[in-house]
Amino acid sequence: MHSNNATGKTRGALTPQRRHGRARVAAVLEAGATVIAEKGYDAATMAEIAARAKAPIGSLYRFFPNKEILAGALIQRYVVLINEAFDSIDNQVNAASLEIIADGILDCMINLRNETKAMSGLLEARSEWSSKRVEFRNLVLKRIAHTLLLCAPVLPQRDANDMAVILLHNMKTMKAVQFDQKVATSPGAANELRQMNRLYLVKRLGKKAG
């Protein structure tokens, strides 16, 4: 039994209506992701999350009555962040080179590293959340394929789906090369992977003007 969950069992997260409230909730969610990424879900406390967000503990419980509800909000936030990241990439398609698009895709998981680590902590903590891992993967694959089709509208959907799988593996490899101490690496490995990823997109989609 977790002491963080002693109150607020019946209602969900409170959606703030004012700008100050939205800013407070954003700070709490960011702090929650950071604390969970550092300590894991079970070891994270609402008090520490409030302190990290520089928010009164009463304000935290007002918006998120218990830690499970906060976790649910973090899961929803992760979906939003993934979509925002790919929206940003897609907005560059008409003006950017394929090399820039390739870099944007490759760096997506690195830029969301803290949130991804927090999600891993959440999904490992509760069996009922484990299915979200597949949902996240499918969302990323769908967004990569969509980006590829924006770059090359004549590309068959099946090819876009297959390429998305390869690019997702490249994203995971880049994160491992840069941050996983258990993975064999070298000072130039990340750049080699970046060059390989660029060449792959140019080869498969054809060079387009930057």
Side-chain angles (χ1 to χ4, degrees):
M1 182 174 179
H2 304 283
S3 59
N4 291 289
N5 308 324
T7 62
K9 294 282 188 181
T10 57
R11 74 169 176 86
L14 180 66
T15 301
Q17 302 300 315
R18 297 182 179 179
R19 184 170 60 182
H20 176 74
R22 291 194 294 270
R24 174 64 55 80
V25 166
V28 166
L29 290 174
E30 184 174 350
T34 300
V35 173
I36 292 171
E38 291 174 356
K39 298 191 170 184
Y41 175 74
D42 288 330
T45 67
M46 295 289 269
E48 184 173 4
I49 291 170
R52 191 74 64 96
K54 298 181 180 179
I57 188 66
S59 177
L60 173 58
Y61 278 115
R62 175 171 174 263
F63 291 111
F64 305 103
N66 57 53
K67 197 164 68 169
E68 278 84 358
I69 291 173
L70 175 61
L74 284 170
I75 290 171
Q76 294 176 11
R77 172 179 178 265
Y78 190 57
V79 172
V80 171
L81 291 174
I82 290 173
N83 281 317
E84 287 180 348
F86 278 97
D87 285 346
S88 178
I89 295 170
D90 290 349
N91 288 336
Q92 301 179 61
V93 163
N94 290 332
S97 67
L98 284 176
E99 288 87 351
I100 291 175
I101 300 302
D103 287 352
I105 293 173
L106 194 63
D107 291 337
C108 196
M109 192 165 287
I110 295 174
N111 295 336
L112 293 177
R113 182 171 67 100
N114 189 60
E115 287 77 12
T116 300
K117 189 174 181 181
M119 285 303 103
S120 295
L122 285 176
L123 303 187
E124 291 169 2
R126 295 289 183 273
S127 59
E128 62 267 26
W129 294 334
S130 61
S131 63
K132 293 294 180 181
R133 194 182 303 275
V134 175
E135 292 181 23
F136 293 150
R137 183 180 69 234
N138 289 341
L139 173 61
V140 173
L141 289 172
K142 180 180 178 181
R143 291 306 308 255
I144 295 173
H146 178 72
T147 300
L148 296 176
L149 290 169
L150 288 178
C151 292
V154 298
L155 185 71
Q157 180 70 57
R158 181 174 179 178
D159 288 359
N161 294 341
D162 290 342
M163 291 178 64
V165 172
I166 301 303
L167 291 171
L168 177 58
H169 282 295
N170 287 351
M171 292 162 67
K172 291 180 178 180
T173 301
M174 177 61 88
K175 188 180 73 167
V177 163
Q178 293 202 6
F179 302 112
D180 190 345
Q181 296 180 350
K182 297 179 181 178
V183 172
T185 186
S186 66
N191 186 59
E192 287 297 314
L193 179 58
R194 187 174 301 279
Q195 293 298 329
M196 183 188 75
N197 200 63
R198 292 173 178 175
L199 290 171
Y200 175 65
L201 248 65
V202 171
K203 177 68 175 179
R204 292 292 284 112
L205 302 184
K207 188 79 172 179
K208 76 184 184 72

